[in-house]
Amino acid sequence: MDFAEWAHGRWAGLVRAAIVLGCTLEEGQDLAQTTLERCYGSWRRVQDAHDPEAYVYRILLNCHRDSRRRRWWGERPTDLLPDRGVADQTDRVDTADAVRRALADLTAEQRQVVALRFYAHLSEQQTAEVLGVAVGTVKSRLSRALRRLEGSVHLTDLNGGH
Amino acid sequence: MSERPDTLDRLVDALDVGTPPVPEIVARGSARRRRRRRSDAIAVTVMTAVLVAGGATLASRTQEEPPTPTTAPVTLPARFAPAMTLPALVGVPAGQAAWSREQATLWVPATLSSCGLRASSQRTGTAIRIDVAPFPAEDMVCDSAGVLTAVVVGGVSELPTQLIVSYLGDERMRDVVEVGPVDELAAHPGAACPDRLPLGDDPDGHGFGVTAPATSAPRHAEPDRAWVCQYVARGAGRTASGGRTYVWTRRSPAVPVPTTALRGLDRLAPFDGAGRICTSELGPRWMLVLAHGTDLTGVVIDDFGCEDVRLTDEPFLTPPGEAWQPGTVPGVLQAPDGLLAAIRTAAAEGPSNR
């Protein structure tokens, strides 16, 4: 399994899951990058894992917890200055912000379940293993999360009131 | 089952998340891998927060002051569980070191950083120097009042005469540990015998101790003082198969014994079971505690069966039959005729002490 190819295939899911967990777009990208760095550092272990997908998202969750514990995101020294020209990022930032507001009513546990189940595309069993809870707990958290989301004012507003 | 709201779905799918910076990920992941290899390569010294389980304390740590030998030895079991953590580490008080001959390992508690410690050791003659510094932790926030950790130095088969611990390479933060003999008498003020005989490997659950015969006889030295205590078996529980398990608890205070009454100790010999028939009833056991200066040796004699004798070089710590200090031997010995009777008599006649 080629790491670069594998990382490309996981990137979008990791960033989206991070945003659903409550990160901004930039934080989500940082979190996904840190997760993939750890995977590269333990590449053989990832490959040998019983369930590599669940293993990767468990790393993502651990990184997320660590970052919340630290309360800030460490600066990364880099050889390249990020002063290259980029397109207007307003739209993508707005969209990520809208997702975050829509999910603001969920608890941290409910966010985790939604992120893993719908945006990491893990099964209920895999989600339960990553979170270290019973499958029944995953189901009940997901059910409560979806009830809240269905009644979310933010989502209604974002949907043009329809 | 309900599905995620369509709006949320579209929002998340609409996110432009970019592409992974694979070269940077690979570079940083490689650096992480190298760091881990480097830390694995520190073979002699290891930082750990989980390993220590008490120890035969050798010395006090002093801060640029004259060394003071410890008076409070603690137990270092023959085995330790990697899962043992802070409560076990507390067994080695701050400012003291612990050493295990069996594991040839020295433990030095140290609290410097929640991110862990990096330590290196250097031997000069019979002294060991340990340099401690926080582990380089990129992207980590370390708390100086962090977790209790211990520096573990392997390959220490003999006691160092001096232990020097320096922190952050700063000579002003240097601790000098003079290693001295443990004063066993002072370590247990008010008691010559333990309340309970130490337990070691005890597969039968009866608390007798090892059953293998000693391979040589001990070398006897005339003690300065001696005491005798009687121990009786008390039920401690049940084995998985329903059998009873015992511990041996002291029945009465220690009785001082005139050393002249202990003739026969110099004739202890490896147990020879050939041709001997022993009864299987259970009775009391005796522990003779012999003081050579401040060093104690225990002689445990069964008052039943084959009247087995087992030695302990630290009566409060070392299980009978597991002695290793010079002059003592591990395994089962047999008492010469008359020794058990002399002990019974001395215990009955001697005045109560301590």
Side-chain angles (χ1 to χ4, degrees):
Chain A
M1 190 160 42
D2 176 59
F3 177 79
E5 187 183 338
W6 179 85
H8 274 284
R10 300 295 166 284
W11 178 256
L14 289 170
V15 176
R16 288 184 172 131
I19 289 170
V20 173
L21 286 171
C23 296
T24 64
L25 179 61
E26 289 72 24
E27 288 171 348
Q29 288 170 326
D30 277 351
L31 195 63
Q33 184 172 332
T34 304
T35 301
L36 291 177
E37 285 168 13
R38 290 196 183 180
C39 289
Y40 186 80
S42 310
W43 183 228
R44 185 174 294 173
R45 202 178 297 170
V46 173
Q47 290 176 300
D48 292 345
H50 165 66
D51 188 341
E53 289 299 309
Y55 188 83
V56 171
Y57 280 95
R58 188 177 299 137
I59 294 176
L60 178 83
L61 276 187
N62 288 340
C63 291
H64 181 252
R65 284 176 189 142
D66 290 347
S67 68
R68 296 293 113 165
R69 244 178 243 140
R70 276 189 269 144
R71 297 193 197 136
W72 57 274
W73 294 72
E75 292 181 6
R76 297 172 186 283
T78 175
D79 295 333
L80 300 173
L81 291 174
D83 57 356
R84 56 192 182 276
V86 293
D88 185 359
Q89 301 287 307
T90 310
D91 285 350
R92 60 200 293 249
V93 171
D94 282 351
T95 308
D97 188 51
V99 174
R100 292 178 61 226
R101 278 190 282 119
L103 294 166
D105 293 337
L106 300 188
T107 65
E109 288 81 8
Q110 289 167 345
R111 280 168 172 271
Q112 288 172 354
V113 173
V114 170
L116 295 178
R117 186 74 184 88
F118 290 141
Y119 300 101
H121 304 292
L122 299 186
S123 68
E124 287 175 343
Q125 180 65 43
Q126 288 172 313
T127 303
E129 285 175 11
V130 169
L131 294 175
V133 299
V135 173
T137 306
V138 170
K139 288 180 179 175
S140 61
R141 283 182 188 171
L142 201 54
S143 172
R144 288 194 198 101
L146 291 174
R147 270 207 302 276
R148 285 201 176 188
L149 287 174
E150 284 164 359
S152 168
V153 175
H154 299 296
L155 287 178
T156 309
D157 289 347
L158 289 163
N159 206 16
H162 304 298
Chain B
M1 182 180 161
S2 57
E3 294 297 324
R4 53 190 162 167
D6 179 56
T7 309
L8 179 63
D9 207 13
R10 283 192 289 113
L11 281 171
V12 174
D13 285 348
L15 278 171
D16 177 6
V17 296
T19 55
V22 174
E24 191 182 338
I25 289 171
V26 168
R28 292 175 62 85
S30 299
R32 182 184 295 275
R33 203 185 278 174
R34 281 197 299 275
R35 280 200 300 274
R36 200 168 58 231
R37 282 196 192 126
R38 267 204 304 274
S39 64
D40 290 347
I42 303 173
V44 177
T45 60
V46 181
M47 185 286 296
T48 177
V50 298
L51 286 182
V52 176
T57 302
L58 304 172
S60 295
R61 194 176 71 185
T62 59
Q63 189 91 31
E64 304 295 346
E65 290 176 0
T68 309
T70 185
T71 57
V74 285
T75 307
L76 184 66
R79 305 168 305 281
F80 59 85
M84 294 184 82
T85 177
L86 293 180
L89 186 58
V90 174
V92 183
Q96 295 186 342
W99 177 66
S100 164
R101 172 184 284 268
E102 292 78 11
Q103 295 164 18
T105 302
L106 186 74
W107 282 268
V108 184
T111 303
L112 199 63
S113 164
S114 61
C115 290
L117 304 178
R118 182 179 57 179
S120 60
S121 67
Q122 185 180 354
R123 291 181 203 206
T124 310
T126 55
I128 293 181
R129 179 189 172 100
I130 298 173
D131 293 293
V132 182
F135 207 83
E138 196 179 335
D139 290 348
M140 289 180 76
V141 178
C142 305
D143 181 353
S144 61
V147 294
L148 203 56
T149 58
V151 176
V152 183
V153 185
V156 184
S157 55
E158 295 293 334
L159 280 180
T161 55
Q162 193 180 54
L163 187 63
I164 302 165
V165 185
S166 78
Y167 300 93
L168 305 167
D170 187 342
E171 288 301 307
R172 291 169 303 178
M173 297 176 66
R174 192 182 65 159
D175 291 345
V176 178
V177 182
E178 292 294 336
V179 177
V182 173
D183 185 341
E184 292 182 59
L185 274 173
H188 302 279
C193 306
D195 292 336
R196 181 180 289 190
L197 293 181
L199 272 180
D201 269 337
D202 185 31
D204 64 4
H206 294 161
F208 297 136
V210 299
T211 54
T215 55
S216 62
R219 295 193 306 275
H220 177 69
E222 194 70 32
D224 304 321
R225 288 181 289 172
W227 297 264
V228 65
C229 302
Q230 190 184 52
Y231 289 82
V232 293
R234 300 218 183 278
R238 295 273 177 188
T239 63
S241 58
R244 293 202 70 175
T245 60
Y246 301 112
V247 292
W248 291 85
T249 57
R250 186 158 55 84
R251 190 179 203 174
S252 56
V255 176
V257 179
T259 55
T260 52
L262 301 175
R263 289 189 199 95
L265 275 179
D266 56 346
R267 286 182 284 125
L268 289 172
F271 178 78
D272 178 10
R276 295 190 64 176
I277 299 173
C278 307
T279 55
S280 62
E281 79 274 16
L282 191 64
R285 301 171 89 186
W286 301 91
M287 179 189 267
L288 264 178
V289 178
L290 312 174
H292 303 86
T294 59
D295 183 49
L296 301 181
T297 302
V299 182
V300 177
I301 306 174
D302 296 349
D303 199 344
F304 55 89
C306 283
E307 301 173 4
D308 291 346
V309 178
R310 295 172 177 87
L311 303 185
T312 163
D313 47 33
E314 290 187 69
F316 287 80
L317 303 174
T318 306
E322 297 183 22
W324 55 263
Q325 283 182 4
T328 63
V329 293
V332 180
L333 299 161
Q334 63 186 42
D337 291 342
L339 179 62
L340 185 57
I343 289 173
R344 286 186 193 133
T345 303
E349 292 179 351
S352 177
N353 178 46
R354 305 217 221 191

